[in-house]
């Protein structure tokens, strides 16, 4: 039994718009440079956000465009087809969404303003760890209150775009690294700490 679906007219128009954006802003030589430098320049990233693709799925009250997950996947798939890989452009709205969902108003405003200006989040995600990968229940980074301050202790690895960010959004277990501890918190940490 085969399952399938057809794109809506809106989804078709969105994909056509992405193809037009790509033809006006990116070419094979630029994509090759992105891979060689491991970086998409801010002007390309900002253009992607300004064109609306980087705002898909983000809350409307923050300037985002409501979009279901299937539409977001279609855009990611087309971006992969056009560039040969997903690239950070497609992941940036998901990264921003984590802070929008869990951050306070000041953090959210800072992140959205920066994102709209540069096309990339001002932070990277610190989830994966040596020996645990992305299995958060097996991670050992812990946040503990010590003398009225929060002490983060642990290691993160595979932090995509870590060399370009001002902050790391770190996920840590609260107080106890035991696998059975499912109490976790997020910490927006400046990379110069």
């Amino acid at each position: 039994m085969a399952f399938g679906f057809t794109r809506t007219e809106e989804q078709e128009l969105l994909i056509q718009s992405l193809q037009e954006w790509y033809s006006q802003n990116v070419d094979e030589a630029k994509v090759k440079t992105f891979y060689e430098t491991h970086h998409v320049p801010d002007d390309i990233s900002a253009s992607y956000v300004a064109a609306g693709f980087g705002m898909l799925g983000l809350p409307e009250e923050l300037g985002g465009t409501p979009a279901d997950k299937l539409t977001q996947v279609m855009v990611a798939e087309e971006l992969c087809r056009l560039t040969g890989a997903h690239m950070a452009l497609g992941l940036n709205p998901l990264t921003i969404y984590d802070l929008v969902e869990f951050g306070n108003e000041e953090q959210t405003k800072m992140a959205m303003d920066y994102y709209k200006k540069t096309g990339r989040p001002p932070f990277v995600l610190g989830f994966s760890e040596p020996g645990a990968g992305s299995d958060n229940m097996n991670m050992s980074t812990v946040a503990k209150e010590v003398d009225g301050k929060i002490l983060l202790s642990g290691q993160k690895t595979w932090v995509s775009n870590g060399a370009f960010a001002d902050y790391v959004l770190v996920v840590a277990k609260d107080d106890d690294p035991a696998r059975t501890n499912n109490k976790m918190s997020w910490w927006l940490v400046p990379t110069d700490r």
Side-chain angles (χ1 to χ4, degrees):
M1 176 184 298
F3 294 95
F5 65 91
T6 55
R7 292 178 179 164
T8 66
E9 186 176 331
E10 285 179 336
Q11 289 167 334
E12 285 290 349
L13 290 171
L14 183 62
I15 296 303
Q16 288 173 11
S17 294
L18 177 59
Q19 292 165 347
E20 289 172 18
W21 173 85
Y22 177 83
S23 69
Q24 294 170 3
N25 293 279
V26 185
D27 57 33
E28 284 187 36
K30 286 182 181 177
V31 170
K32 183 178 180 203
T33 302
F34 301 164
Y35 285 105
E36 289 170 352
T37 63
H38 305 285
H39 180 66
V40 177
D42 284 354
D43 63 327
I44 301 287
S45 297
S47 172
Y48 186 80
V49 170
F53 306 111
M55 300 301 282
L56 290 174
L58 293 173
E60 203 168 4
E61 63 271 15
L62 298 174
T65 305
D68 59 45
K69 297 296 181 205
L70 182 59
T71 301
Q72 292 175 58
V73 167
M74 286 178 189
V75 169
E77 179 184 46
E78 185 62 18
L79 189 59
C80 288
R81 190 189 70 74
L82 291 167
T83 65
H86 195 237
M87 299 194 325
L89 295 175
L91 296 175
N92 287 343
L94 295 173
T95 301
I96 285 287
Y97 191 82
D98 286 331
L99 187 70
V100 166
E101 186 172 14
F102 297 107
N104 64 34
E105 189 175 328
E106 180 184 343
Q107 292 166 336
T108 300
K109 180 178 178 356
M110 177 275 297
M112 288 300 294
D113 289 350
Y114 188 92
Y115 182 54
K116 289 174 187 175
K117 180 179 177 184
T118 66
R120 60 184 171 85
F123 62 92
V124 292
L125 301 176
F127 296 131
S128 299
E129 296 188 0
S134 58
D135 175 7
N136 285 350
M137 293 309 294
N138 216 20
M139 76 176 167
S140 60
T141 297
V142 175
K144 289 185 179 187
E145 187 173 343
V146 178
D147 297 328
K149 296 181 181 181
I150 300 298
L151 175 65
L152 287 173
S153 176
Q155 294 180 346
K156 298 296 178 179
T157 189
W158 301 323
V159 180
S160 299
N161 295 313
F164 306 107
D166 296 330
Y167 299 89
V168 177
L169 186 58
V170 176
V171 63
K173 288 193 174 186
D174 295 341
D175 299 312
D176 180 10
R179 181 164 179 74
T180 56
N181 180 12
N182 64 359
K183 293 183 173 123
M184 299 178 202
S185 51
W186 298 67
W187 300 93
L188 191 60
V189 180
T191 53
D192 63 359
R193 292 244 169 123

